[in-house]
Amino acid sequence: MVTRLQRILLLRALGLGLPDIARVLRRDQDEQAALTAHLDVLRDERARLDRRITAVETTIRKRKGGETPMAEEMFDGFDHTAYKDEVTERWGADAYARGDAWWRGLSAAERDAFQRESTTLAQAGATAAESGADPAGVEAAALAERHVAWLRSIPGTPANVSGGVAGYLRGLGDMYVADPRFGRHYATADGGDAGARFIRDALHAWADARE
């Protein structure tokens, strides 16, 4: 039992996903093959990260020079396909397929607008948290409504169905706090996760008010 646990912890520390670990333990997949495939994913991710760093550096340089960077430059390396397995596991293959088709069908300007709204919502949540706004208040309700509208712009998300929206929003809000990636996206000026927690509470309050 101890050896099995140590093996799980080692594979997890190497970044192998739980489904792959389960297949290795069941002997449905060779450990070396699983790690080799994972290494390919890590190398692809490193390449995307390098492009993302370049995109951020380009944006900063052009902003300082008074130039307006092109959308392709700003978002090069921000590859949504990196999250295919995660989205499929959480919401199903159809949700990913519809969202992927929608994203690929957008123009550069439309992608730019979507990303800008994401950033604006994050900044608004952080600002509201820093100001001590009530997550169940009028300001938070308006922000939650805008957040829901942004989610509903993506085909395939549960936000687009008539039933179960409240549960989806609560789960999503909880994920914003539990997942450090969202904590960084909604971070306040001090680098804390107060912005993510404010958005979570605002989405919970929005859902409560509609049940």
Side-chain angles (χ1 to χ4, degrees):
M1 179 61 73
V2 174
T3 302
R4 179 184 176 89
L5 177 59
Q6 289 175 335
R7 189 181 186 193
I8 293 173
L9 293 176
L10 173 61
L11 293 174
R12 197 72 181 112
L14 292 173
L16 207 62
L18 292 178
D20 286 323
I21 293 176
R23 284 191 287 270
V24 169
L25 294 177
R26 292 196 307 265
R27 300 182 185 278
D28 293 340
Q29 184 176 23
D30 177 70
E31 181 177 304
Q32 183 175 340
L35 289 173
T36 299
H38 180 56
L39 180 60
D40 290 338
V41 172
L42 291 176
R43 284 171 172 160
D44 287 343
E45 181 61 28
R46 182 173 62 184
R48 281 193 293 271
L49 184 58
D50 287 341
R51 294 199 305 273
R52 187 175 300 183
I53 290 172
T54 299
V56 172
E57 290 174 340
T58 298
T59 300
I60 292 173
R61 185 181 70 253
K62 290 201 170 187
R63 293 288 193 200
K64 285 183 177 179
E67 300 178 64
T68 301
M70 299 294 291
E72 302 84 42
E73 295 173 326
M74 293 176 67
F75 300 117
D76 182 34
F78 292 80
D79 185 1
H80 71 286
T81 61
Y83 306 102
K84 178 179 179 179
D85 291 343
E86 184 174 348
V87 171
T88 300
E89 183 177 350
R90 288 181 183 277
W91 296 298
D94 181 64
Y96 175 81
R98 293 174 63 188
D100 178 61
W102 161 77
W103 182 257
R104 293 180 187 279
L106 295 180
S107 65
E110 289 170 330
R111 292 184 183 184
D112 187 6
F114 181 84
Q115 294 278 12
R116 287 181 185 279
E117 178 67 356
S118 173
T119 300
T120 299
L121 288 171
Q123 292 172 341
T127 299
E130 290 170 332
S131 70
D134 180 5
V138 175
E139 178 185 358
L143 181 58
E145 189 73 42
R146 186 174 172 183
H147 201 98
V148 172
W150 175 70
L151 290 169
R152 282 178 169 159
S153 71
I154 310 170
T157 66
N160 286 298
V161 300
S162 57
V165 176
Y168 163 68
L169 292 176
R170 290 193 186 95
L172 190 64
D174 292 341
M175 186 174 69
Y176 284 173
V177 176
D179 191 325
R181 291 173 299 180
F182 288 105
R184 290 190 293 270
H185 182 64
Y186 292 99
T188 45
D190 61 1
D193 68 345
R197 287 188 280 109
F198 182 87
I199 293 293
R200 174 200 61 190
D201 294 343
L203 291 177
H204 275 239
W206 188 94
D208 292 343
R210 280 154 181 77
E211 281 191 335

